[in-house]
Structures are given as C-alpha cells and as structure tokens.
Amino acid sequence: MTDSVLVTGAGGPAGVSVVNALLRAGIRTVAVDCDASAAGLTLGSASAVVPPARDPKFVDALCEIAVSQGADAIVSTVAEELLELGTRAEDLAGEGIAVWVPSRAAVDQCCDKAVFAAVLTEAGIATPATGFVASDVSGPWIVKPRFGRGSRDVYPCDSLDEVVWALRRVQEPIVQTRLSGREFTVDALVDRQGLFAGGVPRWRLETRGGISTKGETFADDRVLMGVAAVLDAVGLRGVACVQGFVTDEDEVVFVECNPRFSGGLPLSLAAGADLVGEYLRGVRGLPIRSSRLGYRPGVRMSRLFCEVFQG
C-alpha cells in the first residue's frame, strides 16, 4: 500500500477540501474525525473515528490508524491538534509517519488574538487597536473571544452599552476597533526555511458561520507582501490562512492568522494553486515549488450544501 495520507478534521470544510483535493490527485486518503457522524468520513478511501485532540490517546490512535492503513503522512486541518502532534513528531517518525506542524510559539501567537495583535503592532504591521475593555480602543467596536475560531460569539458594537453587554457574553473577550472595507483571506504556504512560497488572496463576499460561501480571487501585491510579513512576524512555517481588510481608506490591515487550511480553500485550489499538493511535499520533507502556487485572479465561488445519505 503506497502513497496514502491520513487527513484529520474530515467533518469540517477544510478537512473535506483537503480530502477531495488529494483524491483528485489520485492519492489514497484516510479520512478521520472525532465525530462518528462527520459527513467527510464518507469521502475517504478509508475512514476512522478518533478521540478529540485533548484526549491523551489522540496521537496514539492516529498512529495506529496510519500504520494499519499504510499512510506515511498526516495532514491536520484542526488547529487544536497541532501542539499534540508536534510533541509526538519523533514518535510518529519512528513509525514511518511524517507530520509538519508549526512551533508551539507560532501556534500560540496565532491562536491568542490578543498576543497576535501585539506581535503585529511590535513589528509595525497594521492591525486593529486591541484591548480588553471598551476604553482601551476607539469605536466602533467588535467584541470577540481571545481564543476561538469561525464567527462564534463575535459581536459588532456601536455604543459603549453594547460593548458592556457583549463582554458579559463572551468567554475571555477582547475588544478591537471595528474595520470597514473589503474583507479578504489569503491561503498561503511558508517553506521549512521560513521563505514565503506563495499565497492566494480572495475577497470574502459572503460568509456564514465564519466560512466563506461566496468569494473571488484577486491580485494585490500589497496584500501578499503584508501576508509574508505577518507570517514572518509570528514565525509560522507550513500552511496558513491570513485574514484582513482593505479599508475604505485603501489601507491593508490584518486581523487574524490561522495555522491551518481554511474553509474557503476550494476557491484557491480552483484558481490553480496546488496548495495541498505542495504542502504534502513539505510534510514529506521535499522542497515546496513556488511555481505550483500561481493562481488566476477573478475566479468566483458560490458554495452550496451537499447532502450525504446512509441507511
């Protein structure tokens, strides 16, 4: 059994996108998730249910499945799994299983939104003013969890009373000055030496639950140069999705960085960038080819639901 890859998070949009991309490339793909009813489990060449990342048996379960299925690489699409995989990378390598995860410092600086804002400010990269109470920043405001993903518990606020209301409803909240303009995401790769290999900027024309449902790729050298600076500032290697705005004043401002594939990845792939294939090369210790990460601006996506029936 050769050229087989295990993909985690098969119940999420990023996991489904990665599984499909690998299957299209003719790679045998083992889809796993901690939810036995995850729809993405039906897509893989094989599938399995694993404990959640916080379970001490999580990595051992992945290792056992990978060995039994002949997978020589693990692609994680869940940020919470990265630190667990990183601490056991040598054990996995001993079983012939390759992983490529960022450093603990990089993951922490991406996942902690307050720290991320501080790192970018220190590096001189434009990011919204960030604090812990309304008086720390100027309005209008947005209140969000310091740790979290998607758009869960994110509240736009136009008055101090609304900020106070939102702060009571968000666990470990931060307050930022709310931006106006066009929101974008960039799917990007950084090689093992820390060089920015390439990225695909796309407008977030419509989102639902934090996932892009309508988008369009675009070209802007300022955005790509800014993304390279963001990823260098946090020390991230591997895959990333970086979010920001081109404001009404035509300033490029960055708000978040996730050390994983994005839910809107299908648009970047459809535009021609082989992000999954080149990341897999990086996992296996091969050079990332920037020439394979070119893309076409102006490619639009409209995402629909797809039903899976069983029984």
Side-chain angles (χ1 to χ4, degrees):
M1 202 179 295
T2 59
D3 204 18
S4 184
V5 177
L6 186 151
V7 179
T8 73
V16 168
S17 299
V18 172
V19 168
N20 283 331
L22 292 171
L23 291 173
R24 285 194 298 269
I27 297 173
R28 186 176 184 277
T29 304
V30 183
V32 305
D33 198 274
C34 63
D35 180 1
S37 63
L41 294 178
T42 65
L43 300 174
S45 311
S47 65
V49 178
V50 295
R54 62 181 177 273
D55 191 305
K57 298 179 181 177
F58 169 70
V59 177
D60 289 332
L62 287 184
C63 183
E64 182 178 345
I65 295 165
V67 170
S68 68
Q69 293 292 331
D72 71 338
I74 293 176
V75 175
S76 171
T77 68
V78 182
E80 291 82 357
E81 298 172 351
L82 297 177
L83 295 180
E84 302 303 323
L85 288 169
T87 60
R88 298 285 303 280
E90 290 188 6
D91 295 339
L92 291 167
E95 296 291 341
I97 304 164
V99 295
W100 181 22
V101 297
S103 68
R104 175 177 290 272
V107 173
D108 288 343
Q109 289 180 150
C110 290
C111 294
D112 186 329
K113 295 178 176 59
V115 171
F116 177 72
V119 169
L120 263 57
T121 300
E122 178 68 22
I125 300 170
T127 193
T130 302
F132 297 98
V133 295
S135 58
D136 287 342
V137 301
S138 59
W141 304 267
I142 192 158
V143 176
K144 64 175 70 171
R146 181 173 179 175
F147 306 93
R149 51 196 173 101
S151 295
R152 289 184 289 272
D153 298 324
V154 175
Y155 296 96
C157 302
D158 294 309
S159 69
L160 290 173
D161 287 343
E162 289 179 344
V163 175
V164 172
W165 178 89
L167 288 172
R168 292 171 179 164
R169 285 157 178 79
V170 178
Q171 186 174 8
E172 296 188 80
I174 61 170
V175 183
Q176 293 183 319
T177 298
R178 192 169 81 235
L179 301 174
S180 60
R182 301 191 73 183
E183 188 177 6
F184 65 79
T185 293
V186 178
D187 295 309
L189 277 179
V190 178
D191 70 16
R192 288 180 178 269
Q193 287 69 48
L195 297 176
F196 181 72
V200 182
R202 48 185 173 81
W203 299 120
R204 290 163 64 88
L205 302 179
E206 179 182 278
T207 60
R208 295 181 184 177
I211 302 299
S212 179
T213 53
K214 293 181 182 178
E216 181 177 1
T217 58
F218 68 97
D220 190 324
D221 289 341
R222 299 174 305 161
V223 170
L224 285 179
M225 291 174 62
V227 167
V230 168
L231 297 175
D232 183 63
V234 298
L236 190 64
R237 306 287 188 270
V239 67
C241 63
V242 181
Q243 296 179 0
F245 284 80
V246 176
T247 68
D248 293 335
E249 294 75 31
D250 199 36
E251 181 184 13
V252 179
V253 182
F254 296 95
V255 295
E256 289 189 19
C257 177
N258 298 297
R260 56 171 175 79
F261 285 109
S262 71
L265 177 65
L267 176 53
S268 294
L269 299 177
D274 188 14
L275 290 155
V276 175
E278 291 306 302
Y279 175 70
L280 181 57
R281 282 176 59 88
V283 173
R284 289 171 167 163
L286 300 172
I288 291 176
R289 301 167 295 187
S290 294
S291 61
R292 299 278 296 174
L293 300 178
Y295 71 98
R296 298 182 299 277
V299 178
R300 295 177 65 93
M301 174 187 74
S302 294
R303 172 173 276 165
L304 304 175
F305 292 105
C306 178
E307 291 76 26
V308 176
F309 300 99
Q310 295 174 291

